Amino acid sequence: MRSASDDLTARARIRDAAIAAFARSGFDAVSMRAIAADADVSPALIVHHFGDKAALRTVCDDYVVSVFTDENHDLMGGPTADRMRAALNDLDRYAPYIDYLARMLTDDSPAANHLFDTMLAATGDVLEAQRSAGLLKTMSDPAMTTLLVTLLGLGHVVMRGQIARALGEDQLSPAGLLRATLPTMELLTHGIYATDAFLEGTRAAVGADAEPRPTETDRSETDDSEEER
């Protein structure tokens, strides 16, 4: 009789095999039988654990997103030298998930939309936590800023080949990541302009109000205050 631990091991093995296969060949080109062969299980066991291939993809999507967003990293602090070295030395672990995101995000499908929406929401959660901790500047449009930060992160993944061509090295290699880390943090922390002239000119051109758009937390706090009154 198969034990519960055997079931869990088989489920994880199927998931990991599916992630690798989808990353390598794309969702449509991979069969359940091929995944079963890679995972050394029967196709029936995949159906037992996941139902169908679409449901298996959803599990893979959620797992890959969790790898990048649910790790026990200190989101309230900066990328210390020790944490940076740990990440650079662990690229082999993340490589299959990076390849998966690159392949699956470019699908023209509801599943790709769901994957992107999940990444966007996870980024929003991180920024909201940092905003609540007083680590972020006031934003004119928090939702748009969250989208731009998400695109900044995913651009390295989706445009990996083009970036490697421009830089002459894989941007997701240890050398590439090391080269990109400081300029990225400079951009997020200080921006690139030494003057407010461009910002003020843009505000005047688009008619932007001085008051920033409220975040979801701001709205919630306002509603609570109104209820107390």
Side-chain angles (χ1 to χ4, degrees), residues 60-228:
C60 292
D61 284 355
D62 291 344
Y63 182 77
V64 169
V65 170
S66 75
V67 167
F68 292 104
T69 61
D70 291 345
E71 299 283 356
N72 294 322
H73 296 316
D74 179 9
L75 299 175
M76 299 300 104
T80 65
D82 287 343
R83 284 205 296 275
M84 286 173 58
R85 279 193 291 268
L88 291 173
N89 290 331
D90 207 12
L91 285 178
D92 287 343
R93 175 191 172 199
Y94 290 100
Y97 309 129
I98 291 171
D99 293 341
Y100 181 91
L101 284 176
R103 169 76 71 165
M104 304 305 271
L105 280 170
T106 54
D107 276 1
D108 183 15
S109 69
N113 294 341
H114 170 72
L115 178 56
F116 178 81
D117 290 347
T118 304
M119 295 295 293
L120 180 63
T123 302
D125 290 343
V126 171
L127 291 179
E128 180 59 25
Q130 293 177 333
R131 189 195 74 83
S132 298
L135 299 176
L136 298 184
K137 296 179 179 179
T138 300
M139 304 171 188
S140 63
D141 188 339
M144 188 65 205
T145 300
T146 299
L147 177 59
L148 292 174
V149 171
T150 303
L151 292 175
L152 180 63
L154 293 179
H156 297 294
V157 173
V158 176
M159 301 296 292
R160 186 175 182 178
Q162 296 292 353
I163 294 172
R165 185 178 61 81
L167 294 180
E169 61 186 351
D170 183 2
Q171 203 268 312
L172 296 178
S173 68
L177 284 174
L178 194 60
R179 181 178 176 184
T181 297
L182 184 57
T184 300
M185 195 55 61
E186 288 173 342
L187 182 63
L188 291 174
T189 304
H190 299 301
I192 60 174
Y193 293 121
T195 173
D196 288 341
F198 298 111
L199 176 59
E200 296 305 326
T202 301
R203 282 177 174 157
V206 302
D209 296 329
E211 292 296 323
R213 297 191 184 192
T215 64
E216 291 299 323
T217 298
D218 293 333
R219 295 191 187 96
S220 176
E221 291 172 351
T222 300
D223 292 342
D224 291 342
S225 297
E226 290 177 349
E227 289 177 3
E228 289 174 1

Side-chain angles (χ1 to χ4, degrees), residues 30-50:
V30 176
S31 68
M32 296 273 271
R33 187 172 297 278
I35 295 171
D38 289 346
D40 194 24
V41 299
S42 69
L45 190 60
I46 299 181
V47 174
H48 167 73
H49 280 295
F50 301 98

Side-chain angles (χ1 to χ4, degrees), residues 1-7:
M1 178 180 295
R2 189 174 59 238
S3 68
S5 61
D6 289 339
D7 259 6

